[in-house]
Amino acid sequence: MVADDILLLKLIQSKDEHAFKYLFDMYFVPLCRYAHLYLNNTQEGEELVLDIYMYLWEHGNQINRVFSLMFRKTSFKTPKILIKTRA
C-alpha cells in the first residue's frame, strides 16, 4: 500500500466525503465488474458493491476489515457480506 492509499483510508476513517467520493469514483465500476464475474447478474453485482460502500461509510473505523471483505467475499457465489447487509 502506498502513502497515498494510507492517507485516503485515514481520511475515510474520519468521514471525509471527498475522499469517499474519490474512492467510489475510482473503484465502483471495477468492483461491479469483479462482482459480476461471480454473480452473473449485473444488478446484483451493483447492489452488492453499493452495500459494501455503505458498510464502509458506516464502519470506517473498521476499514481494514471492510477492505478485506470487499476483495475476498465477492469471490463466493453467495457473498457473506451480501447476506449480512441485507438481513
Side-chain angles (χ1 to χ4, degrees), residues 58-70:
E58 293 169 359
H59 301 90
N61 59 335
Q62 302 170 11
I63 204 153
N64 293 332
R65 181 171 176 260
V66 172
F67 273 94
S68 71
L69 288 171
M70 272 179 134

Side-chain angles (χ1 to χ4, degrees), residues 12-82:
I12 291 169
Q13 284 178 317
S14 66
K15 299 285 189 193
D16 184 294
E17 291 180 18
H18 296 290
F20 186 80
K21 182 180 180 335
Y22 177 81
L23 181 77
F24 185 89
D25 291 344
M26 286 293 294
Y27 294 105
F28 180 74
V29 172
L31 284 170
C32 287
R33 289 182 183 148
Y34 183 73
H36 183 266
L37 290 174
Y38 295 96
L39 299 173
N40 292 318
N41 184 308
T42 302
Q43 185 174 352
E44 283 185 17
E46 289 177 3
E47 288 176 11
L48 170 64
V49 173
L50 287 172
D51 287 345
I52 292 170
Y53 273 104
M54 288 295 296
Y55 187 89
L56 173 62
W57 183 252
E58 293 169 359
H59 301 90
N61 59 335
Q62 302 170 11
I63 204 153
N64 293 332
R65 181 171 176 260
V66 172
F67 273 94
S68 71
L69 288 171
M70 272 179 134
F71 293 104
R72 283 194 271 168
K73 300 301 181 188
T74 53
S75 64
F76 295 107
K77 188 67 176 170
T78 307
K80 291 180 183 175
I81 187 71
L82 180 63

